[in-house]
Amino acid sequence: MPLVRVTMIKGKSPDYIKKMSDSIYEALVEAYQMTENDLFQIIEQLEPGDLIYDRHYGIKGSRSGDFVIINIESDARRRGEKEAFLARLSDKLAASPGIARDDVFVRLSMTAGLEDWSLGSGIAASKSQASPARIQVNSRLSRYGGCHEEVAMARHLVQECC
């Protein structure tokens, strides 16, 4: 259940923003093992003076006015999955809408469990009806020593559905 927040400088066209959004979504599905239609993105556009960043820190090249910060909050992932996703995201954004790799700053943040999310109606995702993504999330949590209660719930759900 990734939640994506993109911060960028104002002035890009709706077509540019749609292409950027699509590239982020596709990279999540292709390399981050996100289920299809799990699309929750916030695109915030700031005045040029409100997005402050160093043009050279941590990279060999230079950042431009097309610089974007992409924050992704999701359940736990393995190092290899994160690295594959970061590479795929950079490739996708370079291809469409044409964001230079040095202009893509990504922060991945992991949540501990499904009780940290609500998909609506004020119900924690850990209490909502099972979906394939929920079982996948709980399986991933168990690999990382996740909450025993959630791991047990995932086992119960797998037994019910399979």
Side-chain angles (χ1 to χ4, degrees), residues 135 138-139 142 147-162:
I135 294 168
N138 280 297
S139 297
S142 67
C147 175
H148 295 292
E149 186 178 292
E150 299 230 339
V151 172
M153 185 182 302
R155 286 188 186 122
H156 174 74
L157 292 171
V158 170
Q159 288 171 350
E160 278 184 8
C161 77
C162 305

Side-chain angles (χ1 to χ4, degrees), residues 101-116:
R101 285 172 171 76
D102 284 344
D103 281 331
V104 179
F105 181 102
V106 181
R107 177 184 173 268
L108 300 175
S109 177
M110 305 300 135
T111 59
L114 291 174
E115 69 276 3
D116 295 338

Side-chain angles (χ1 to χ4, degrees), residues 16-85:
Y16 181 98
I17 292 169
K18 171 82 167 101
K19 288 178 181 177
M20 179 183 64
S21 172
D22 288 347
S23 290
I24 294 168
Y25 171 79
E26 290 166 9
L28 285 165
V29 171
E30 293 169 11
Y32 211 59
Q33 299 182 2
M34 182 182 83
T35 57
E36 288 190 31
N37 301 317
D38 189 350
L39 177 61
F40 298 94
Q41 298 181 358
I42 302 163
I43 311 293
E44 59 184 355
Q45 299 181 64
L46 305 176
E47 295 296 331
D50 293 336
L51 182 57
I52 301 166
Y53 57 94
D54 186 274
R55 295 200 178 252
H56 304 284
Y57 184 80
I59 59 174
K60 293 180 181 178
S62 180
R63 294 182 179 93
S64 74
D66 291 334
F67 177 68
V68 295
I69 298 174
I70 302 172
N71 286 290
I72 300 173
E73 178 111 11
S74 72
D75 56 293
R77 295 292 196 273
R78 292 182 175 174
R79 176 180 281 172
E81 291 170 334
K82 293 178 198 177
E83 291 170 352
F85 166 71

